[in-house]
Amino acid sequence: MDAVVVAWLEMMVRWLHVIAGIAWIGSSFYFIALDLSLRRRDGLPDGVQGEAWQVHGGGFYNMVKYLVAPARMPDEVTWFKWEAYTTWLSGFALLVLVYYLGAELFLVDRAVMELDPDTAIALSLGALLAGWLIYEALCRSPLGRNTTALSLVGYAFLVAATWGLTEVFSGRAAFVQIGALIGTMMVANVFVVIIPNQKKTVAALLAGEKPDPALGAQAKQRSVHNNYLTLPVILLMVSNHYPLLFATRYNWVIVAVLLALGPVIRHFFNSRHAGKGSPWWTWAVAAAGLALIGWLSAAGPRDEVMASGASPAPKFAAVEEIVVSRCSMCHGDYAAWDGIPTAPKGVKLDTPERIHAHAQMIGLNAVRSSAMPPGNVTDIQPEERAVLAAWLAAGAPGPEQQ
């Protein structure tokens, strides 16, 4: 497919994905907050769990929630599902456009594992399906009746899956893959459990039967899972912009920290919405977690290449040879790599002046991390990264300074 066409499709699908994601996350956060803010008061109708008064847009709203369902089916009911489905469908389309069509660049990293694109794509699809099936089995097992145990086992499963993915795919793809897995689990919660259970409740009401309270409890459990997974998955899905996250030595540990921080932060807001006070300690934990992520990201790429300040500065000609031979086929006036119509981010590295001007960018993407070249498609060697590291440690002198 023509690279320009793919680029435009990616832009439009990404726009849709962001819009749908905002709608889904917004409604999810709103209903969790609403559910937690419900209060029991005298005079409420039979079967009502609680009510909440809210003000928005110049008007007051009186929200009530039935523990199972009202005695009679309302004439009109708003279903919240299409924002979830659209988010996943557009996200999967992006996965195809970016990572499957560009598998050699973005999905495969030969420094991690030698894979052909077709095999990598098959593994990616298989990981999504297997990961969801494992999660679903955990939730439906006896473990699913113990919230704490299920949370701990689920956390361990996601961390183990992340480690495994970083041993197969590029760091960038591994982060997006674990984000896609969590997103698949979340939308499946809506499609397989929450909406079907609500439909069963509606069917029981229409048949004049009493709905099963277990249906609502199961749906509530999955909704809470989605609430606590939202913050980590958002950062995972935009992580491709931050090479110090995905392309460093302890990238899987960084994901483990993120998966713990998301629920901690959500606990603060959920506690406030429930009227149980403000657990400010959660922000201290979040700050410590972010500091730990920063420290982990400073460890460099999988292969140690960082040079000490005492290392002699290489000749600029050696630096130029490495950058031109390993980077300029994409980062030049005329990108020569299929699927890359223009230099990414406008960074061009095909002349001495341009190389010197983008020294810090080179350091971030090719020395402190292994983000570039993507998938190591140009087979840059650790020794070559070490030369770049020594040049940067000496202050990145230009050709006229040597």
Side-chain angles (χ1 to χ4, degrees):
M1 189 180 295
D2 182 79
V4 175
V5 174
V6 172
W8 274 104
L9 283 174
E10 180 185 333
M11 182 276 292
M12 291 186 287
V13 174
R14 192 179 300 275
W15 190 16
L16 174 62
H17 185 57
V18 170
I19 293 171
I22 290 172
W24 184 17
I25 294 166
S27 62
S28 173
F29 280 8
Y30 171 74
F31 279 106
I32 288 291
L34 173 63
D35 198 64
L36 292 171
S37 66
L38 294 170
R39 301 291 182 267
R40 295 194 61 84
R41 297 183 177 91
D42 294 336
L44 293 176
D46 291 339
V48 169
Q49 179 182 354
E51 71 169 356
W53 281 89
Q54 301 178 358
V55 60
H56 179 74
F60 288 85
Y61 298 81
N62 182 211
M63 316 295 288
V64 298
K65 178 183 178 180
Y66 286 82
L67 189 59
V68 179
R72 188 184 71 83
M73 180 65 188
D75 293 332
E76 296 182 4
V77 176
T78 300
W79 295 80
F80 289 85
K81 57 182 180 178
W82 293 111
E83 54 269 67
Y85 301 160
T86 305
T87 300
W88 189 87
L89 290 171
S90 57
F92 185 76
L94 272 179
L95 187 66
V96 172
L97 288 170
V98 178
Y99 289 90
Y100 292 176
L101 293 184
E104 191 174 3
L105 276 176
F106 302 126
L107 189 60
V108 175
D109 186 342
R110 291 183 296 169
V112 176
M113 181 177 288
E114 286 280 357
L115 292 172
D116 64 82
D118 290 340
T119 300
I121 293 169
L123 288 173
S124 172
L125 292 170
L128 289 180
L129 178 60
W132 170 66
L133 290 175
I134 292 171
Y135 165 73
E136 192 67 23
L138 289 173
C139 290
R140 294 180 183 273
S141 72
L143 191 68
R145 294 192 288 269
N146 186 319
T147 300
T148 301
L150 177 62
S151 299
L152 292 175
V153 172
Y155 174 77
F157 160 64
L158 289 177
V159 172
T162 300
W163 175 82
L165 292 169
T166 59
E167 294 296 310
V168 176
F169 301 119
S170 71
R172 170 175 169 160
F175 270 47
V176 169
Q177 183 75 29
I178 193 66
L181 170 57
I182 296 173
T184 299
M185 291 160 45
M186 292 170 66
V187 79
N189 283 340
V190 177
F191 185 73
V192 176
V193 177
I194 297 173
I195 295 300
N197 283 14
Q198 289 175 340
K199 288 184 176 181
K200 291 175 183 177
T201 298
V202 169
L205 285 171
L206 293 175
E209 302 171 355
K210 184 178 180 180
D212 183 359
L215 296 175
Q218 186 186 41
K220 175 67 179 300
Q221 181 191 56
R222 301 301 183 94
S223 181
V224 171
H225 288 179
N226 286 3
N227 179 252
Y228 282 117
L229 288 170
T230 297
L231 295 184
V233 80
I234 291 173
L235 186 53
L236 288 170
M237 300 313 285
V238 301
S239 62
N240 61 302
H241 296 288
Y242 307 101
L244 293 182
L245 290 179
F246 69 79
T248 47
R249 186 176 309 163
Y250 301 115
N251 51 6
W252 70 273
V253 183
I254 289 174
V255 173
V257 177
L258 286 176
L259 290 173
L261 288 187
V264 167
I265 295 171
R266 285 306 304 163
H267 174 67
F268 174 83
F269 293 100
N270 290 343
S271 178
R272 284 174 63 92
H273 294 319
K276 297 180 180 178
S278 302
W280 295 105
W281 61 266
T282 56
W283 294 109
V285 173
L290 291 174
L292 176 58
I293 288 173
W295 180 76
L296 290 168
S297 70
R302 292 167 69 102
D303 297 315
E304 179 61 58
V305 301
M306 301 300 290
S308 69
S311 301
K315 295 294 184 181
F316 185 83
V319 173
E320 181 183 8
E321 181 181 357
I322 293 170
V323 174
V324 169
S325 63
R326 306 300 188 188
C327 311
S328 65
M329 61 285 301
C330 292
H331 292 279
D333 285 327
Y334 304 100
W337 192 271
D338 290 341
I340 306 293
T342 59
K345 296 185 178 181
V347 175
K348 298 178 180 180
L349 303 171
D350 50 358
T351 68
E353 295 75 20
R354 287 171 171 175
I355 293 171
H356 183 244
H358 292 293
Q360 295 305 313
M361 187 72 75
I362 293 170
L364 180 66
N365 288 278
V367 176
R368 294 187 175 276
S369 75
S370 56
M372 294 293 162
N376 199 21
V377 291
T378 58
D379 200 29
I380 189 171
Q381 298 299 306
E383 296 78 12
E384 293 174 308
R385 295 188 192 272
V387 171
L388 299 178
W391 172 60
L392 291 163
E400 71 285 349
Q401 296 171 293
Q402 294 184 330

